[in-house]
Amino acid sequence: MRSQPAPPASETTAYDWLAQSLNTLHRAHWHRQVQPITGSAGPIVEIAGQSLLNFASNDYLGLASDPRLAAAAAQAIKTYGTGSTGSRLLSGHRTIHQELEQAIAALKRTDDAIVFSSGYLANLGTVSALMGARDLIVSDQYNHASLKSGARLSGATLVDYAHSDVASLRQQLQTHRRQYRRCLIVTDSVFSMDGDCCPLPEILDLAAAFDSMVMVDEAHGTGVLGATGAGFVEQCGCSGRPLIQMGTLSKALGSLGGYVAGSAQLIDFLRNRAPSWVYTTGLSPAAAAAALAAIAVVKAEPSRRQQLQHNAADLRQRLDRAIATVPALRSLQRLPSASPIVCLQVKDAATVLNLGQRLRLAGIFAAAVRPPTVPTSRLRLTVMATHQSAHLDQLMAALMAFD
Ligand SMILES: *Cc1c(COP(=O)(O)O)cnc(C)c1O
């Protein structure tokens, strides 16, 4: 037997770059850590023994802790067990998946829908299934990371257009469209780190003019916007137009999973070609049942949506007033928002971290969002339907105590 090769003379290993890379993150104030919440989701959460007012949740309607969703999930576990046991095309398909997909299609007013194990996987699988090396993807520069990853995975040529800028989109289509076979325009409907909305009707008009498909990511629109809670597409009056609608079950719907809704042919195609659906275990029965129960609540209780819009408008107004009148807040800039996501832009990563920590000491949990997630640092506040006016009072008091 040959002896093991001697270790290299220096003490270095092939993993040393990890420590160096982490150091770089720390120095740039980009390093991030998890923080465990000990109890249930809601407007008040407990972290490290401290009770905090929660302005960092995507649980817009307060459904993640709704007893009806929990009961539906528990019943599904009794009926189907905890796991789906296989991919959907083999042994992982249950009647609860079918009911959920039909409910999503009914909400979205499309032929059909397909549920993935997460929104991230829905974007990854859909974009990479639809597009290939001879195709062009034209993407809003602020799109969610999962859309960008899907584009990269597809092998298509990817060009960005300036955020929500219709002239820039037209320019990119004029410059590039003709050199490619198929074209897909992709955009978030509600931008996750800004809270503003895309110019959807104009995008659809351009798509028609340039023989392009459109995919819209409704992660933050579903359950939140539109007369029936179907999302931003409904709010814009674009429900009937040819369109690929993607969204998540994990935000306003309080569960886990993602979906794509659209024509029967689109969904049939994805069931055959989307790798992140074909080669992964089906969504758990509990998650599917909770999402199905959430859709019923969205339909039956429009008052939650109204309360959410009221709270968001209230927060925006209070922040604008505070920025205009409190000298210490004058350097903050509120970004345009048409959703429950309200952001205050701050000059750099160190400042936003400091702001987040001081809010934390005052009992407020809010996200200090920094590069590389976003181009500019910001405090990202999200409101929920279950926030009360007194909660907003407490947030504003904490902000106004700054000097
Ligand atoms: C959260 C989010 C996703 C991913 O959804 P998950 O279900 O959390 O994986 C996709 N797109 C946008 C815009 C999001 O905000």
Side-chain angles (χ1 to χ4, degrees):
M1 249 170 62
R2 280 195 299 154
S3 62
Q4 293 289 315
S10 68
E11 294 289 320
T12 64
T13 78
Y15 303 93
D16 289 350
W17 66 272
L18 286 170
Q20 286 153 18
S21 197
L22 283 167
N23 266 335
T24 307
L25 287 179
H26 280 289
R27 273 200 307 275
H29 300 282
W30 285 12
H31 184 260
R32 299 188 288 186
Q33 272 171 305
V34 294
Q35 16 193 357
I37 289 176
T38 41
S40 185
I44 296 169
V45 289
E46 197 184 296
I47 300 179
Q50 189 190 4
S51 178
L52 294 168
L53 205 42
N54 186 6
F55 287 97
S57 175
N58 295 322
D59 181 22
Y60 298 116
L61 301 175
L63 295 182
S65 53
D66 190 289
R68 291 167 290 183
L69 273 67
Q75 184 56 49
I77 288 174
K78 279 193 198 130
T79 307
Y80 303 99
T82 47
S84 289
T85 77
S87 68
R88 292 278 301 282
L89 288 173
L90 290 174
S91 63
H93 185 53
R94 303 286 178 275
T95 44
I96 191 78
H97 294 123
Q98 202 164 330
E99 286 170 51
L100 175 59
E101 286 168 344
Q102 282 165 2
I104 292 168
L107 178 70
K108 298 280 169 179
R109 285 184 274 152
T110 57
D111 295 345
D112 205 352
I114 175 174
V115 295
F116 291 74
S117 301
S118 78
Y120 196 103
L121 290 172
N123 276 338
L124 216 59
T126 302
V127 176
S128 64
L130 295 174
M131 305 307 277
R134 293 155 64 197
D135 303 325
L136 174 70
I137 298 173
V138 189
S139 167
D140 188 292
Q141 67 176 139
Y142 285 2
N143 276 349
H144 191 262
S146 53
L147 287 169
K148 300 193 172 188
S149 300
R152 249 176 271 126
L153 191 61
S154 74
T157 298
L158 174 64
V159 297
D160 278 357
Y161 61 93
H163 176 52
S164 284
D165 185 333
V166 176
S168 169
L169 171 59
R170 180 196 304 276
Q171 179 68 55
Q172 295 293 39
L173 289 167
Q174 267 163 355
T175 309
H176 301 284
R177 172 67 186 98
R178 269 191 300 151
Q179 288 93 277
Y180 296 91
R181 179 183 59 172
R182 290 195 282 270
C183 178
L184 177 68
I185 303 169
V186 285
T187 182
D188 288 10
S189 66
V190 178
F191 286 87
S192 56
M193 291 297 146
D194 294 75
D196 56 342
C197 295
C198 73
L200 186 61
E202 291 84 352
I203 290 173
L204 287 168
D205 291 345
L206 277 177
F210 285 88
D211 185 29
S212 300
M213 302 178 284
V214 178
M215 176 169 173
V216 61
D217 178 337
E218 288 265 50
H220 298 275
T222 302
V224 171
L225 300 176
T228 69
F232 184 64
V233 172
E234 178 184 37
Q235 180 172 298
C236 291
C238 295
S239 298
R241 300 186 65 172
L243 187 56
I244 300 163
Q245 302 183 53
M246 172 275 168
T248 175
L249 310 175
S250 60
K251 287 172 178 150
L253 300 182
S255 182
L256 178 70
Y259 68 82
V260 173
S263 71
Q265 284 175 344
L266 171 74
I267 304 307
D268 192 23
F269 178 81
L270 292 177
R271 286 198 181 106
N272 284 276
R273 303 296 292 161
S276 66
W277 188 84
V278 173
Y279 299 108
T280 196
T281 300
L283 184 66
S284 82
L292 183 60
I295 291 173
V297 176
V298 163
K299 286 192 166 166
E301 298 177 2
S303 60
R304 281 179 187 263
R305 223 153 33 245
Q306 286 150 13
Q307 186 63 48
L308 177 63
Q309 304 310 345
H310 172 86
N311 289 353
D314 191 11
L315 175 63
R316 287 193 289 262
Q317 206 171 53
R318 290 186 195 219
L319 287 171
D320 289 347
R321 216 179 309 132
I323 290 167
T325 55
V326 180
L329 302 181
R330 212 159 282 164
S331 67
L332 302 179
Q333 192 197 341
R334 184 172 76 70
L335 300 177
S337 158
S339 72
I341 303 166
V342 183
C343 293
L344 297 173
Q345 188 166 285
V346 176
K347 77 172 191 302
D348 56 31
T351 309
V352 80
L353 271 187
N354 183 266
L355 187 60
Q357 274 155 9
R358 289 167 69 179
L359 281 176
R360 177 79 175 261
L361 290 174
I364 308 288
F365 182 36
V369 191
R370 288 159 280 161
T373 307
V374 286
T376 54
S377 294
R378 68 202 59 181
L379 191 72
R380 178 180 184 268
L381 301 162
T382 53
V383 285
M384 300 164 62
T386 43
H387 277 131
Q388 290 161 14
S389 190
H391 296 146
L392 296 192
D393 293 344
Q394 209 178 315
L395 168 66
M396 294 315 299
L399 279 171
M400 295 205 274
F402 288 168
D403 47 37

